[in-house]
Amino acid sequence: MREITCATILDLAGARGPSRITLDGDRIAAVRPLLAGEAFDDLLVMPALANAHDHGRPIRTSSIGGFGRPLEAWLHRLRLFAPVDPYLAAAVPFGRAVMGGQGAAMVHYTGVQGLTDYVTEAKEVARAAGDAGLRIAFAVAMRDMNPLVYGDGQPILDALTPTARKEVEQRFLSTPPLSAEAQMERLDAVAESIGSPLVDVQYGPQGVQWATPGLLEAIAEGSARTGRRVHIHLLETRYQRDYADRHFPQGIVRHLKDIGLLSPRLTLAHCVWARPDELDLIAEAGATISVNTSSNFALRSGIAPVAAMLKAGCKVGIGIDGSAFDEDDDIIREMRLVWSLHAGWGFDREVEPAQVLEAVLAQGHATLNSPVTGRIEPGAPADLLVLDREALDADALMEVGPVELLFSRGTAGFLKESIVAGRTVVADGGPAGLDFAGLQDELRSRLRKGVAERGGFARILPELEATLAGHFRDRLGCC
Ligand SMILES: [Zn+2]
């Protein structure tokens, strides 16, 4: 049993004044208003926040020169990362996630280290999440085509000098993709091995431009049969929009519906370039869109039509996608950014703070199969974010509500404590379950060594990127 007294509770029921919250194990046992004269700490308590799209990437990608590069060039650059111990590679981002105010996060596992078999690696990722105290959904990344560009990669290879071509063939084309059947079997083995109340295993097709129709159909069938959720990137960039329009003239979202993938079990990351009729179909199906505002800035993808999504009735969650605005995994700043960009100008009110709170406190959690509902009430999970309200309101000139304080200046820097399933996962400014500084030092030193060993690839990157830029810019990625 544990008791927290606070000045303010902010949840989806609204804001409440001084309260006492009683926790019993991993549940909230009681919540009651304090009586006049009862002492309390000057804290703001909220339900835990969910990061509805991410990959658990070990380190900031601007550190390998990724900043400001379009997705289609940035993805290739990630091969500068050497494979490292999967526990280390996951524990560091999970530590950053909990320090960034996240209580639950999607791990769309696209960056396989490959030093052991896949199931062993997934177990290490789950162990790291357990140590960090982060609830995760682990989406097994699935793809089986288009390793270089969206379509035939031969013109790219033909345009490269022999040295660059050799590097590219070795880095991107030397391992044939697994069959759809083998990928489905691998997913079942992972689910069997790491599925738990804190780890939800999901299908993670990487995108319609990276998965054959057969693979997507197998996933749709598997999801319908097992009830397991599906997490996929969709229409992140204008080049993906172009690919979808050329290959699915009936409409890519309609196609997803036709094959049974578009369902309440589906999360679509991005939808930056989705059209109004597509948003209507997504809303009608009850699928959720995870928007990734900062990532869309960093990779020059565009601005997602968030107000239109909400108006259409789409469920919306908020993702960090490994690239928060300050590259620090701060989901509190991220929700402010979403509101700032989409709230409407002047007296127009397109998106309300309450809708942004609904995204991080409820919709995001639902996509991760996390039990958090955005309410602080008896019986709810003991997943709480405890912020320093006194510091947030340091001016203290007059009474200003918690929503205004949070959306004007909130960041994870105000985090006093984070509790997930009844356990303190952040205290005193750091992850309680990890030697974060030690792990980060070790990871950085291994990755530095890895980059140095990849000098040959680093040297041909400018040539590859110039070729890719020409390919996408001149022909919109059309081979
Ligand atoms: Zn992503």
Side-chain angles (χ1 to χ4, degrees):
M1 287 287 239
R2 177 177 169 197
E3 295 200 322
I4 299 169
T5 61
C6 62
T8 308
I9 289 177
L10 177 63
D11 69 2
L12 293 181
R16 281 171 272 175
S19 304
R20 182 187 308 277
I21 304 167
T22 307
L23 309 184
D24 184 2
D26 64 358
R27 294 276 148 186
I28 295 170
V31 185
R32 74 162 176 85
L34 291 178
L35 304 172
E38 277 190 282
F40 57 86
D41 298 312
D42 199 352
L43 302 170
L44 166 61
V45 179
M46 300 172 64
L49 311 184
N51 171 5
H53 178 67
D54 218 309
H55 302 276
R57 266 188 222 103
I59 202 163
R60 294 172 287 200
T61 62
S62 62
S63 299
I64 50 163
F67 176 74
R69 291 182 197 279
L71 175 85
E72 286 76 10
W74 172 87
L75 278 172
H76 297 81
R77 189 164 273 266
L78 301 184
R79 297 292 171 101
L80 285 171
F81 290 135
V84 293
D85 171 69
Y87 177 86
L88 186 63
V92 173
F94 294 164
R96 282 200 312 268
V98 291
M99 284 193 287
Q102 303 171 31
M106 165 50 66
V107 183
H108 188 194
Y109 201 62
T110 46
V112 180
Q113 304 299 331
L115 298 175
T116 62
D117 67 279
Y118 194 96
V119 173
T120 303
E121 179 163 339
K123 276 187 191 166
E124 287 298 278
V125 174
R127 184 165 72 86
D131 288 351
L134 183 70
R135 289 185 192 272
I136 62 167
F138 184 96
V140 177
M142 305 166 91
R143 66 179 291 171
D144 60 355
M145 67 172 188
N146 290 341
L148 266 191
V149 288
Y150 307 150
D152 183 9
Q154 197 59 44
I156 303 290
L157 293 175
D158 291 345
L160 296 173
T161 57
T163 311
R165 180 177 177 141
K166 195 164 157 245
E167 277 283 344
V168 168
E169 283 175 339
Q170 185 199 328
R171 302 258 168 218
F172 300 99
L173 307 174
S174 58
T175 314
L178 285 179
S179 69
E181 195 183 15
Q183 296 196 49
M184 298 296 282
E185 280 170 10
R186 183 163 74 176
L187 183 133
D188 289 339
V190 169
E192 174 82 14
S193 169
I194 67 168
S196 78
L198 293 173
V199 179
D200 184 57
V201 176
Q202 305 191 2
Y203 297 97
Q206 292 197 25
V208 295
Q209 63 285 335
W210 292 310
T212 56
L215 178 57
L216 289 179
E217 282 161 29
I219 292 167
E221 188 277 324
S223 171
R225 180 169 39 81
T226 61
R228 200 173 288 296
R229 291 191 61 92
V230 182
H231 192 94
I232 187 171
H233 295 104
L234 186 74
L235 299 171
E236 178 173 358
T237 69
R238 61 208 298 195
Y239 310 109
Q240 293 179 7
R241 168 87 267 173
D242 179 66
Y243 176 90
D245 289 345
R246 278 189 288 115
H247 289 80
F248 304 96
Q250 75 278 35
I252 183 56
V253 177
R254 165 120 358 237
H255 173 74
L256 295 181
K257 184 178 177 185
D258 290 346
I259 65 168
L261 203 65
L262 190 68
S263 83
R265 298 181 303 278
L266 181 67
T267 307
L268 299 156
H270 299 293
C271 293
V272 173
W273 295 85
R275 296 181 180 129
D277 60 308
E278 294 172 323
L279 296 179
D280 288 341
L281 282 175
I282 291 167
E284 187 187 294
T288 307
I289 299 170
S290 170
V291 297
N292 306 278
T293 306
S294 292
S295 161
N296 296 155
F297 287 153
L299 301 182
R300 313 313 303 148
S301 299
I303 297 175
V306 173
M309 291 170 181
L310 290 166
K311 278 204 186 81
C314 296
K315 293 191 267 186
V316 171
I318 291 174
I320 296 285
D321 201 8
S323 190
F325 200 63
D326 286 4
E327 289 193 285
D328 56 359
D329 297 80
D330 185 337
I331 194 161
I332 301 176
R333 184 188 292 104
E334 188 70 17
M335 68 189 211
R336 284 172 48 209
L337 198 63
V338 172
W339 179 82
S340 299
L341 198 56
H342 302 289
W345 307 114
F347 291 100
D348 290 350
R349 301 192 67 146
E350 301 278 344
V351 174
E352 299 290 339
Q355 292 173 291
V356 177
L357 287 171
E358 167 90 19
V360 287
L361 298 180
Q363 302 295 4
H365 282 288
T367 68
L368 307 173
N369 271 331
S370 145
V372 177
T373 59
R375 304 275 176 148
I376 295 181
E377 59 190 8
D383 287 44
L384 301 171
L385 205 60
V386 182
L387 300 171
D388 185 342
R389 203 214 68 88
E390 186 180 16
L392 200 54
D393 189 21
D395 297 336
L397 302 186
M398 59 178 276
E399 195 175 322
V400 175
V403 172
E404 287 92 328
L405 289 174
L406 203 59
F407 278 81
S408 58
R409 58 185 78 154
T411 68
F414 292 100
L415 197 58
K416 285 273 258 200
E417 184 182 358
S418 176
I419 300 168
V420 173
R423 175 183 153 205
T424 296
V425 302
V426 175
D428 305 322
L434 300 171
D435 166 20
F436 183 74
L439 290 165
Q440 185 166 252
D441 284 351
E442 175 68 22
L443 177 69
R444 282 174 170 159
S445 102
R446 293 199 200 180
L447 289 174
R448 274 182 209 126
K449 194 161 160 274
V451 169
E453 287 163 359
R454 281 158 180 70
F457 181 55
R459 277 190 291 280
I460 67 97
L461 264 173
E463 184 187 338
L464 174 62
E465 287 173 354
T467 308
L468 290 168
H471 173 80
F472 283 102
R473 194 171 46 219
D474 300 344
R475 286 165 291 171
L476 259 182
C478 174
C479 288

